[in-house]
Amino acid sequence: MQIDRTADTVRVTLTAEEAEAVQGDLGQIWANKISAAGDQLHSLLETVTEPA
């Protein structure tokens, strides 16, 4: 995992394994307990971790 930050942007680079783990972790949080950004990240990770 690598995190790069500029003045107003944060870029996170994950391996496929890390992306799947984060997606799984976010999926365990109740919908009313996760931010809109967390929910969006979960959805984005879901699209890249599904089998082709």
Side-chain angles (χ1 to χ4, degrees):
M1 181 181 307
Q2 180 178 333
I3 300 175
D4 299 305
R5 181 179 180 164
T6 62
D8 60 348
T9 303
V10 176
R11 181 178 301 224
V12 179
T13 304
L14 305 169
T15 65
E17 185 176 282
E18 290 168 333
E20 189 171 347
V22 171
Q23 185 267 331
D25 291 345
L26 290 172
Q28 298 300 314
I29 300 172
W30 287 91
N32 65 345
K33 300 290 184 188
I34 194 166
S35 67
D39 187 46
Q40 184 177 12
L41 178 58
H42 175 260
S43 294
L44 290 169
L45 290 171
E46 194 171 49
T47 65
V48 299
T49 59
E50 293 178 345

